[in-house]
Amino acid sequence: MKRNLVKLARRYQDALREHLKRGGLELAQGLGSQALAAGLQTLDLAKLHERILVTGVLPGCPAGKRAALIKQAGIFFAAAITPIEKTQRSAREATAQFKKFVETLSQRTVELAASNLELSLEITQRKAVEEALKNSERHYSQLLAKSDHLQQQLRRLSRQILTAQEDERKKISRELHDVIAQTLTGINVRLTALKKEAAVNTKGLDRNITRTQRLVQRSVNIVHRFARELRPAVLDDLGLIPALHSFIKSFAAQTGVHTRLTASPGVEQLDTARRTVLYRVAQEALTNVSRHARASHAQVNIQKLDGAICMKIIDNGKGFRVEGLSHDKSNKRLGLLGMRERVEMVNGRFAIESAPGNGATIQAQIPLASLAPGARDSMRARLTPRIECL
C-alpha cells in the first residue's frame, strides 16, 4: 500500500509540473481516479498536493511568480479531486479549505520573500559600513604616520638650525680673534713705532704709513666680507641678480668651480622676502656643491613663468640618492631641509632631482604673489628674454 502511494505521489508531481509548463487537465482527472481507487480521501490528496507543491515545485521559483504558480496548481488540484467529489459530498468543503490554505501559503511566501530581501539589504549595509570603517582606520593610520614623520623633521630642523647658528658664531668669533684682532694689534704696534720714529727720524715715515694703511684696508675688507656673508647690502640696494652675480663671482674664485648665472629680467619683481629666499637657497646649494658634490661646473638659472619665478641650480658632481635623504640623521647642517622650509614659507615649491654619478638639480618655484595651490600647479613654463652673467 505504501509503495502504491509513493508511485502515486511521483506521478502526481510529474503531472503537476507538466500542467504548469504546458497546461491541460487530462492527467489530473486520471490521477484523481487512481487516488480514489487507492482509498484516498479529498483531505489526503490535498496534503499530498501541498507537500509536492512546497517541496518540489516552489523552491527556486522567483517570489514574484509564486502567487500565479500556486493559483495554477490549485486549478490542477481542483481537476484532480473531481472524481472523488462525485463520490464524496465533502469535496466542496475540502476545496474551500484548500483554497484558504493556498491563500495562506501564498501570503506566507510573500512575507518570507520580503523578509529575505530586508535581511539581504541589511547585510549589504553592514558590509559597506565595515569596509568604510576599515578604510577610515587605514586613512587615519597614514595621517598619524605622516604627522609623526613631520614632527621628527621639525625637531631635526630645529637642532640643525641651532647647530648652524653655533657654527656661524664660532666661525665669526675665530675670524675676529685670529684675523681682525691680530691686524688691529699690528696696526697699534706700527702706530707706536711711527710715533717714536717721527720724534727721531722722518726718512721711513711715508713707507711705514703706507704699510699701516694696508693693514687698515685689510681689516676693512674682512669686515666687509663678514657683512656680505651675514646679509649682502647689494641684495637690498640693487636687487637679486647683482647680489647673486657678486656671490657667484666670489664663490668661483674661492672654490674653483666654474659657475654661470642665467636670469630673466622679470626676476626683480619679487619682494624683499622672496628675493632673500632665492638668494639663500642659491647660497646654500652652491655651498653644498663645493663641500660634497666634487663638481667642476655649476649653473644657476632663474626664469620668469606665468605668475612665478623658477630657479634651478645644476651641477655635474657625483650626485646622491634623494630617497630617504630627509631621514638621514647624520646630516648636521641646515642643508636641503632648511632650503625646503624657506621656499615653502613663502608659498613656494621645492624639488630635488639627483642620482649617483649624474649630478644634481635643485629647483625652487616662488609665486610673484600669494596664490592658491591650484593656481600654482597650473603655471606654464614660458621663458622670457634672458641676461647671461659669467
Side-chain angles (χ1 to χ4, degrees), residues 21 46 54 121 226 245 263 293 313 333 349 383:
K21 289 181 180 180
V54 173
L121 291 175
F226 284 163
H245 181 253
I313 300 98
R333 53 189 171 81
R349 293 188 300 168
L383 301 181

Side-chain angles (χ1 to χ4, degrees), residues 66-82:
R66 288 182 177 178
L69 186 143
I70 294 173
K71 184 177 181 180
Q72 190 68 19
I75 296 174
F76 180 88
F77 174 76
I81 63 172
T82 301

Side-chain angles (χ1 to χ4, degrees), residues 55-293:
T55 61
V57 178
L58 290 181
C61 179
K65 296 182 179 181
R66 288 182 177 178
L69 186 143
I70 294 173
K71 184 177 181 180
Q72 190 68 19
I75 296 174
F76 180 88
F77 174 76
I81 63 172
T82 301
I84 301 176
E85 188 180 10
K86 294 178 179 179
T87 58
Q88 296 181 355
R89 295 181 179 179
S90 61
R92 292 183 179 179
E93 296 178 0
T95 301
Q97 292 178 357
F98 180 74
K99 287 182 179 180
K100 185 176 181 181
F101 165 76
V102 169
E103 292 176 356
T104 302
L105 180 63
S106 177
Q107 183 178 359
R108 290 180 180 178
T109 302
V110 173
E111 292 175 354
L112 179 61
S115 299
N116 290 336
L117 180 60
E118 291 178 358
L119 181 61
S120 177
L121 291 175
E122 185 177 355
I123 292 173
T124 303
Q125 291 175 354
R126 288 186 178 181
K127 288 182 178 180
V129 171
E130 290 177 358
E131 186 65 24
L133 289 175
K134 290 180 180 178
N135 292 336
S136 178
E137 183 178 358
R138 286 194 295 267
H139 177 66
Y140 283 114
S141 298
Q142 293 173 356
L143 290 179
L144 181 60
K146 186 176 180 180
S147 176
D148 292 339
H149 175 62
L150 290 176
Q151 288 180 356
Q152 292 176 4
Q153 280 190 332
L154 289 176
R155 286 194 294 267
R156 187 158 55 251
L157 179 60
S158 299
R159 291 194 295 268
Q160 290 172 347
I161 290 175
L162 293 176
T163 303
Q165 288 177 345
E166 290 301 324
D167 290 343
E168 289 296 327
R169 290 172 180 174
K170 186 187 300 182
K171 178 182 176 183
I172 294 173
S173 176
R174 185 167 54 249
E175 291 286 346
L176 289 174
H177 180 271
D178 296 344
V179 180
I180 295 181
Q182 292 181 8
T183 304
L184 293 177
T185 301
I187 292 173
N188 188 36
V189 171
R190 287 190 176 276
L191 289 175
T192 303
L194 285 174
K195 182 178 180 181
K196 293 180 180 180
E197 290 178 6
V200 179
N201 185 11
T202 60
K203 285 185 178 181
L205 187 61
D206 292 339
R207 182 177 57 192
N208 288 330
I209 290 175
T210 302
R211 291 178 179 176
T212 304
Q213 287 175 337
R214 290 175 182 172
L215 290 175
V216 173
Q217 186 61 42
R218 181 183 175 190
S219 299
V220 171
N221 292 337
I222 292 173
V223 172
H224 285 170
R225 179 165 60 85
F226 284 163
R228 285 195 304 270
E229 291 178 356
L230 293 175
R231 174 72 182 187
V234 67
L235 180 62
D236 299 319
D237 298 337
L238 301 179
L240 178 62
I241 297 176
L244 284 176
H245 181 253
S246 176
F247 171 74
I248 288 173
K249 184 178 179 180
S250 175
F251 170 80
Q254 293 177 5
T255 63
V257 179
H258 180 72
T259 307
R260 187 177 68 173
L261 170 65
T262 304
S264 300
V267 172
E268 300 300 345
Q269 297 178 10
L270 289 172
D271 56 23
T272 302
R274 289 174 170 82
R275 289 201 302 266
T276 302
V277 168
L278 288 180
Y279 180 84
R280 293 304 185 191
V281 170
Q283 186 182 40
E284 181 66 26
L286 291 178
T287 301
N288 289 342
V289 169
S290 65
R291 290 179 180 175
H292 310 288

